[in-house]
DNA sequence: CTCTTCACG
DNA sequence: ACGTACGTGAAGAGT
């Protein structure tokens, strides 16, 4: 008996298992990773448990095997390997190589046969063998020395087949498993067996007769007329099936067991693959990486004051805040790093140093930051404007890959291969347990961030240049960050009194509607609870549910509107909802956000969040202040200029997305329509309905408008039918008519999807990217969604590029003209300013001019503007 | 912490 | 046949 242990793995079978057991995961480049990930987990677990001295992973080679000459339809009718899995096999092989494990495949033979041949050899040598597969056929190889592990549900749950276990489970010997397969067949390999004989019958027959051959030698003794008939009719097939199910144990392989020695992984190579595939959990858990992390030396000093000698011409700078809301958060300290040495200065003491403040304001001293907008905003709060922002890790990372999961330095650093930063959560804790750590810990945490920012600059800049996105980052996003920071810091004045009064009115109305609803329902309930409301409407009152959600009846507005004629309670509920929303989100919500000191609201723009390149606005969201309904629109009366007699000035792009579409598709009809400044919805209606301009009814224009929206969103007949409340067929006709009238648009849409499939991403006018891994998915839903996104993102994203460029130009122009006017808000296609009255005339000239010429398109851009005493009046 | 609803472009 | 319009954030309910 040898103390060697041979581990033989069925590579194809395990990769398949992993693939179907785990959800489809992808890395940032859209490569699917779930099979590789699952395979890795299996490998890790089994090696840890078994401690093998020899290892081999066997693969199937090619499509045909010697079994096909016995039976042409062997494995016939099998579904093609999904492309999401096929693309992962090269990585599985690379991974096995990195682990230092031998792998083998052989023309005309399956992985089973390689494993069978080797296990027989090893068995003869008296070596211990463990076979791992997801395929139960392999259990025929079990012997006293050989155990067969078959994966059960999931990826790490395993059933161990020894001869004893097989005896217990089926009452058969391992070799009789072959006979069992011969009789019952195997649907997945298309092995026919004897029709009508399943596992139960097969086992019973084999217990009596021992083997297929013996059974057919003694057919007379088989009880049951039907069964006997079936056996007689399928004798040839049964014998052939047995042959097919038999694993070859003397395949002409060119490796021997002795060559399979396993001497441990090359962890560096393994980690390299993990990084490439973004296996974050494994990387974090890995001792190797942890060691690597420990090995990194960090020279950092905690300073009480700043000495001019530490301030270099280039430095990474990080302001450590207690929480994300940097407008109000406590400043915990400042970290600096020059790549060699790092420093930490507690609290805001650094800002008391003249040397430091001068350094910050010196344009020739380059600062490397992460989230320059936040850094500058906090510094501004301490009376210092940072100049010389040379690098912003957050923005660079976002441009390289829009799907970065979070903005903290640790996450960003990990994303690009730097594991030397602790997560904020591990330092501060989370939820109620969140607290500031002791000084040393805090200092090292912040210093590590500064050092990582320093180290990552070259990596990120190289990637940006490689992708031809350096200009987008350096000339658009980076300068925009400063402008947004100023807008945030300036804030917008909100008249508290107006909101409070509106709130009182709303409360009174709400109470009255509430009473009406209770009376109509015959009982009190929580109107804000869709669950309780559903019970009242669809069970108590007996209305017909139109739509369901995962959790019950849908009570969404579009559903209720269809029921409005059925019962008068519906109208009341819709009104209650509308007013309730105004009161809770906009009155109470906004009141909570007004800063005591200045009576202003300071939203935060998230510049590295959306997948299209738009901004988003939080705490509070000022990009969704009501406008469509008059009752809500009144909220805008509370948004007023910060100085007496000043006015609010708002300018918006008209139809920017359709103009972008005209530009990108170069559709003649659409380009001409904009060049002639036609009403685009009326023009669309004329083409879709084949009527003259004067015969376009308001309904036709409304439908045309919906079609235009649909085109921008990535058209689908279903979506349009829902929006217009028409049948899918009618919607499909509209779309067809549209695409006939605008053939360039159709061509563009087809092209963009094709390009997305080929490259894996789509781009905007300024070369912003969005990766769309799911566009090649075999899942219809995922694929369709990605296709619509491919059509929409270049349009929405290019529109975002344009207004961002306009904001930079606008800020420059206001400065050049020495104006007092302040840019306050951006709402995707509009800019809101506050201005002294004497500057209005100039604004009327320069705002449209600057916005129109931000980026030159094939068609003109059009800007509408208005001004008044409050945001409400800018219409 | 997820789901539903609803506000905006 | 599949079952969806694109992009966001906030509030309230209920697990």
């Amino acid at each position: 008996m040898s103390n060697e242990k041979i581990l033989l793995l069925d590579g194809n079978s395990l990769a398949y298992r992993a693939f179907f057991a785990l959800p489809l995961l992808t890395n940032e480049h859209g490569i699917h990773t779930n099979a590789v990930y699952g395979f890795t987990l299996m490998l890790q677990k089994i090696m840890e448990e078994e401690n093998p001295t020899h290892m081999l992973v066997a693969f199937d080679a090619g499509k045909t095997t010697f079994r096909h000459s016995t039976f042409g339809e062997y494995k016939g009718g099998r579904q093609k390997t999904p492309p999401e899995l096929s693309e992962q096999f090269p990585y599985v092989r690379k991974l096995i190589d990195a682990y230092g494990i031998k792998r083998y495949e052989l023309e005309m033979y399956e992985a089973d046969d390689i494993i069978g041949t080797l296990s027989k050899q090893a068995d003869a040598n008296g070596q211990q063998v463990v076979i791992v597969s997801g395929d139960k056929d392999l259990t025929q190889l079990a012997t006293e020395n050989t155990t067969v592990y078959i994966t059960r549900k999931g990826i790490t749950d395993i059933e161990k087949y020894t001869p004893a276990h097989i005896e217990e489970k089926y009452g058969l010997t391992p070799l009789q498993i072959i006979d069992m397969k011969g009789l019952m067949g195997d649907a997945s390999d298309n092995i026919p067996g004897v029709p009508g004989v399943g596992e139960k019958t097969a086992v019973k027959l084999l217990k009596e007769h021992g083997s297929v051959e013996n059974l057919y030698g003694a057919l007379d003794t088989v009880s049951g007329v039907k069964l006997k008939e079936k056996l007689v009719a399928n004798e040839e097939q049964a014998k052939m099936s047995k042959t097919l199910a038999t694993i070859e144990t003397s395949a002409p392989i060119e490796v021997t067991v002795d060559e399979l020695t396993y001497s441990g992984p090359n962890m560096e190579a393994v980690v390299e693959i993990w990084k490439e595939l973004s296996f974050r959990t494994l990387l974090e858990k890995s001792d190797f990486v942890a060691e690597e992390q420990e090995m990194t030396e960090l020279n950092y000093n905690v300073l009480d004051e700043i000495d001019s000698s530490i301030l270099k011409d280039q430095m990474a700078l990080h302001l450590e805040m207690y929480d994300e809301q940097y407008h109000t958060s406590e400043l915990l300290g400042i970290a600096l790093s020059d790549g060699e040495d790092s420093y930490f200065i507690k609290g805001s003491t650094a800002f008391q140093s003249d040397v430091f403040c001068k350094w910050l304001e010196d344009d020739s001293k380059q600062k490397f930051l992460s989230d320059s907008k936040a850094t500058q905003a906090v510094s501004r709060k301490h009376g210092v404007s940072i100049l010389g922002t040379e690098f912003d890790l957050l923005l660079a990372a976002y441009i390289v890959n829009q799907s970065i999961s979070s903005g903290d330095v640790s996450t960003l650093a990990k994303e690009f291969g730097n594991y030397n930063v602790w997560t904020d959560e591990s330092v501060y804790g989370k939820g109620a347990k969140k607290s500031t750590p002791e000084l040393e810990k805090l200092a090292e945490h912040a210093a590590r961030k500064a050092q990582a920012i320093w180290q990552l600059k070259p990596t990120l800049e190289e990637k940006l240049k490689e992708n031809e996105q350096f200009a987008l980052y350096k000339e658009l996003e980076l300068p925009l960050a400063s402008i947004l920071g100023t807008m945030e810091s300036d804030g917008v004045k909100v008249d508290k009194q107006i909101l409070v009064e509106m709130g009182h009115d709303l409360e009174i109305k709400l109470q009255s509607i509430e009473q009406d609803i209770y009376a109509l329902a015959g009982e009190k309930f929580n109107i804000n609870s869709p669950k309780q409301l559903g019970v009242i409407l669809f069970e108590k009152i007996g209305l017909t549910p139109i739509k369901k959600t995962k959790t019950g009846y849908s009570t969404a507005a579009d559903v209720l509107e269809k029921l409005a004629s059925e019962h008068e309670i519906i109208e009341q509920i819709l009104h209650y909802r509308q007013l309730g929303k105004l009161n809770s989100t906009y009155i109470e919500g906004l009141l909570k956000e007004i800063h005591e000191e200045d009576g202003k609201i300071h939203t935060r723009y998230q510049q590295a969040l959306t997948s299209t390149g738009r901004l988003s606005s939080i705490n509070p969201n000022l990009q969704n202040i009501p406008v469509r309904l008059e009752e809500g629109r009144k909220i805008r009366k509370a948004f007023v200029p910060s100085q007496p007699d000043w006015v609010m000035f708002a300018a918006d792009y008209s139809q920017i997305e359709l103009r972008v579409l005209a530009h990108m598709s170069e559709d003649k009809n659409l380009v001409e329509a904009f060049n002639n400044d036609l009403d685009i919805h009326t023009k669309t209606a004329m083409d879709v309905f084949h009527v003259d301009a004067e015969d376009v009814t308001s309904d036709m224009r409304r439908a045309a408008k919906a079609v235009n929206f649909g085109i921008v969103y990535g058209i689908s007949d279903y979506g349009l039918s829902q929006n217009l409340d028409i049948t899918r067929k009618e919607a499909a006709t509209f779309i067809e008519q549209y695409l006939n009238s605008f053939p360039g648009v159709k061509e563009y849409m087809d092209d963009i999807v094709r390009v997305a499939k080929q490259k894996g991403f789509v781009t905007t006018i300024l070369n912003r990217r969005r990766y769309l891994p799911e566009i090649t998915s075999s899942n219809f839903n995922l694929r369709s969604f990605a296709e619509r996104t491919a059509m929409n993102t270049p349009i929405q994203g290019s529109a975002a590029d344009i207004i961002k460029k306009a904001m930079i130009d606008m800020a420059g122009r206001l400065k050049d003209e020495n104006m007092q006017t302040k840019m306050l808000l951006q709402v995707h296609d509009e800019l809101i300013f506050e201005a002294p009255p004497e500057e209005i005339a100039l604004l009327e000239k320069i705002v449209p001019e600057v916005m129109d010429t931000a980026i030159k398109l094939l068609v003109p851009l059009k800007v509408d503007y208005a001004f008044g005493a409050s945001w409400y009046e800018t219409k």
Side-chain angles (χ1 to χ4, degrees), chain A residues 794-856:
Chain A
I795 300 174
Q796 194 184 115
S798 298
D801 291 349
I802 292 171
I803 194 162
K804 282 178 167 179
K805 174 70 165 40
M807 291 171 77
I808 294 171
D809 294 349
M810 200 60 230
R813 188 68 179 269
L814 289 175
K815 201 169 172 222
D816 290 348
E817 305 270 356
N818 266 319
M819 294 171 78
Q820 292 174 270
T821 297
K822 282 182 173 146
M823 186 154 57
L824 298 181
L825 302 171
Q826 188 252 45
V827 191
H828 310 306
D829 65 357
E830 62 177 317
L831 295 175
I832 293 114
F833 305 83
E834 61 176 14
E838 64 272 19
E839 289 183 6
I840 292 293
L842 187 52
L843 278 180
E844 288 185 279
K845 177 175 170 283
I846 66 170
V847 172
E849 184 183 304
V850 168
M851 287 174 76
D852 276 345
T853 55
I855 291 182
K856 177 136 183 57

Side-chain angles (χ1 to χ4, degrees), chain A residues 32-318:
Chain A
H32 293 91
T33 58
N34 58 335
V36 192
Y37 184 65
F39 191 90
T40 311
L41 294 184
M42 292 178 184
L43 207 55
Q44 298 257 96
K45 178 153 187 259
I46 198 87
M47 290 196 302
E48 190 178 311
E49 281 176 7
E50 302 299 332
N51 244 322
T53 55
H54 296 64
M55 274 184 86
L56 174 117
V57 182
F59 285 95
D60 299 343
K63 270 192 176 153
T64 41
T65 67
F66 71 89
R67 289 186 177 83
H68 286 89
S69 54
T70 309
F71 182 48
E73 286 97 86
Y74 176 66
K75 292 200 171 174
R78 259 207 183 180
Q79 284 224 318
K80 206 174 132 236
T81 307
E84 293 87 343
L85 174 56
S86 305
E87 72 187 30
Q88 298 185 55
F89 276 108
Y91 289 95
V92 173
R93 291 193 165 88
K94 250 170 91 177
L95 190 82
I96 293 165
D97 294 344
Y99 269 99
I101 300 169
K102 303 287 183 303
R103 57 183 170 83
Y104 194 70
E105 52 196 83
L106 181 62
E107 247 353 274
M108 299 302 284
Y109 289 84
E110 294 179 59
D112 295 10
D113 305 312
I114 301 166
I115 291 173
T117 306
L118 285 165
S119 76
K120 192 180 167 196
Q121 274 184 26
D123 194 41
N125 298 342
Q127 291 161 312
Q128 291 291 311
V129 178
V130 169
I131 293 170
V132 189
S133 175
D135 183 351
K136 280 198 177 135
D137 281 9
L138 280 283
T139 54
Q140 63 184 266
L141 299 173
T143 67
E144 285 314 314
N145 290 329
T146 305
T147 312
V148 182
Y149 292 6
I150 302 296
T151 56
R152 275 194 292 217
K153 252 194 145 167
I155 50 168
T156 47
D157 189 7
I158 275 171
E159 187 170 5
K160 301 182 179 178
Y161 287 84
T162 57
H165 182 66
I166 295 168
E167 167 69 34
E168 191 186 320
K169 193 162 171 172
Y170 301 107
L172 303 175
T173 66
L175 285 175
Q176 283 177 312
I177 296 284
I178 310 173
D179 296 275
M180 183 172 96
K181 267 280 156 64
L183 290 172
M184 64 184 272
D186 182 343
S188 71
D189 287 347
N190 205 28
I191 297 179
V194 178
V197 174
E199 186 179 308
K200 286 271 151 54
T201 317
V203 170
K204 191 182 125 236
L205 290 169
L206 289 171
K207 273 187 184 164
E208 281 169 35
H209 301 94
S211 73
V212 170
E213 290 75 15
N214 289 350
L215 167 67
Y216 278 102
L219 266 185
D220 298 347
T221 63
V222 172
S223 55
V225 188
K226 278 264 169 150
L227 177 60
K228 206 183 288 178
E229 270 174 30
K230 280 186 247 168
L231 288 170
V232 172
N234 295 289
E235 181 171 352
E236 276 312 303
Q237 196 165 300
K239 288 181 175 164
M240 177 194 77
S241 295
K242 180 175 171 180
T243 313
L244 287 174
T246 307
I247 291 172
E248 176 64 59
T249 54
S250 36
I253 57 172
E254 287 168 344
V255 283
T256 61
V257 172
D258 297 334
E259 294 168 36
L260 304 181
T261 46
Y262 171 70
S263 48
N266 172 359
M267 270 324 275
E268 262 177 58
V270 170
V271 164
E272 198 51 47
I273 297 171
W274 288 357
K275 284 180 185 170
E276 188 179 349
L277 299 180
S278 305
F279 290 169
R280 272 184 222 115
T281 329
L282 283 172
L283 286 166
E284 274 162 30
K285 274 199 297 201
S286 155
D287 292 340
F288 180 80
V289 177
E291 262 171 45
E292 196 179 50
Q293 204 176 73
E294 291 307 313
M295 285 190 309
T296 306
E297 287 199 18
L298 181 75
N299 297 316
Y300 78 96
N301 310 288
V302 180
L303 307 176
D304 290 326
E305 57 182 40
I306 292 192
D307 185 280
S308 63
S309 66
I310 68 162
L311 296 171
K312 311 284 162 49
D313 289 349
Q314 294 191 317
M315 278 200 119
L317 163 71
H318 175 75

Side-chain angles (χ1 to χ4, degrees), chain A residues 2 134 152 390 402 424 472 502 563 695 709 728 821 843:
Chain A
S2 119
R152 275 194 292 217
E390 179 63 19
Q402 90 292 126
D424 283 338
L472 169 65
M502 284 180 73
L563 295 168
D695 296 329
F709 270 102
R728 236 167 85 173
T821 297
L843 278 180

Side-chain angles (χ1 to χ4, degrees), chain A residues 570-843:
Chain A
I570 299 293
E571 196 190 329
Q572 301 287 338
I573 288 165
L574 286 167
H575 199 200
Y576 182 88
R577 284 244 183 98
Q578 190 204 332
L579 300 187
K581 175 89 178 178
L582 289 178
N583 198 32
S584 63
T585 304
Y586 297 103
I587 303 291
E588 289 170 9
L590 286 177
L591 281 171
K592 269 184 264 174
E593 300 284 353
I594 299 176
H595 288 220
E596 286 281 333
E597 320 86 77
D598 57 7
K600 288 176 170 182
I601 287 182
H602 302 265
T603 185
R604 274 161 50 229
Y605 290 101
Q606 307 232 95
Q607 199 186 346
L609 182 140
T610 72
S611 33
T612 55
R614 274 190 176 180
L615 301 173
S616 94
S617 156
I618 54 167
N619 301 134
N621 180 356
L622 292 186
Q623 291 181 319
N624 72 344
I625 303 301
V627 68
R628 291 173 190 169
L629 298 172
E630 178 56 26
E631 270 172 301
R633 188 174 205 149
K634 290 200 164 65
I635 301 279
R636 296 183 171 217
K637 291 187 178 195
F639 288 78
V640 294
S642 64
Q643 306 196 43
D645 302 325
W646 280 36
V647 293
M648 303 298 281
F649 186 103
D652 69 288
Y653 282 112
S654 161
Q655 307 297 353
I656 189 167
E657 293 191 335
L658 287 172
R659 286 169 198 265
V660 167
L661 175 62
H663 171 83
M664 299 183 89
S665 69
E666 298 178 30
D667 179 274
K668 285 208 178 74
N669 195 14
L670 198 55
V671 168
E672 201 185 293
F674 282 121
N675 279 334
N676 293 325
D677 199 23
L678 300 184
D679 175 325
I680 195 63
H681 300 318
T682 305
K683 161 70 178 158
T684 307
M686 287 162 62
D687 289 351
V688 170
F689 298 108
H690 303 297
V691 293
D692 290 336
E694 56 272 21
D695 296 329
V696 173
T697 64
S698 64
D699 270 352
M700 285 157 94
R701 188 176 182 282
R702 193 176 59 87
K705 190 173 173 178
V707 173
N708 278 328
F709 270 102
I711 293 293
V712 169
Y713 291 158
I715 198 87
S716 86
D717 50 11
Y718 183 86
L720 183 63
S721 74
Q722 288 298 296
N723 190 289
L724 282 177
D725 207 7
I726 56 178
T727 67
R728 236 167 85 173
K729 254 212 158 106
E730 289 167 318
T733 313
F734 284 3
I735 293 167
E736 202 189 319
Q737 288 296 345
Y738 179 95
L739 294 175
N740 284 338
S741 308
F742 300 94
V745 172
K746 178 167 170 41
E747 201 183 323
Y748 166 76
M749 294 296 182
D750 293 344
D751 275 359
I752 198 85
V753 170
R754 220 190 44 243
V755 171
K757 282 191 175 145
Q758 187 225 325
K759 290 192 180 166
F761 61 85
V762 289
T763 54
T764 66
I765 287 184
L766 295 185
N767 224 9
R768 193 184 298 281
R769 279 188 188 187
R770 178 169 185 180
Y771 290 95
L772 296 168
E774 284 164 347
I775 202 150
T776 54
S777 168
S778 55
N779 177 318
F780 176 88
N781 279 335
L782 293 179
R783 190 178 63 246
S784 303
F785 183 61
E787 287 172 357
R788 291 197 295 274
T789 314
M791 299 185 238
N792 172 262
T793 296
I795 300 174
Q796 194 184 115
S798 298
D801 291 349
I802 292 171
I803 194 162
K804 282 178 167 179
K805 174 70 165 40
M807 291 171 77
I808 294 171
D809 294 349
M810 200 60 230
R813 188 68 179 269
L814 289 175
K815 201 169 172 222
D816 290 348
E817 305 270 356
N818 266 319
M819 294 171 78
Q820 292 174 270
T821 297
K822 282 182 173 146
M823 186 154 57
L824 298 181
L825 302 171
Q826 188 252 45
V827 191
H828 310 306
D829 65 357
E830 62 177 317
L831 295 175
I832 293 114
F833 305 83
E834 61 176 14
E838 64 272 19
E839 289 183 6
I840 292 293
L842 187 52
L843 278 180

Side-chain angles (χ1 to χ4, degrees), chain A residues 477-501:
Chain A
E477 298 295 352
L478 199 54
L480 181 67
S482 302
I483 294 166
L484 290 172
T486 314
M487 289 163 63
E488 292 178 6
S489 298
D490 284 346
V492 54
K493 171 91 173 172
V494 174
D495 188 328
K496 205 170 168 176
Q497 204 48 46
I498 294 182
L499 290 181
V500 170
E501 279 165 23

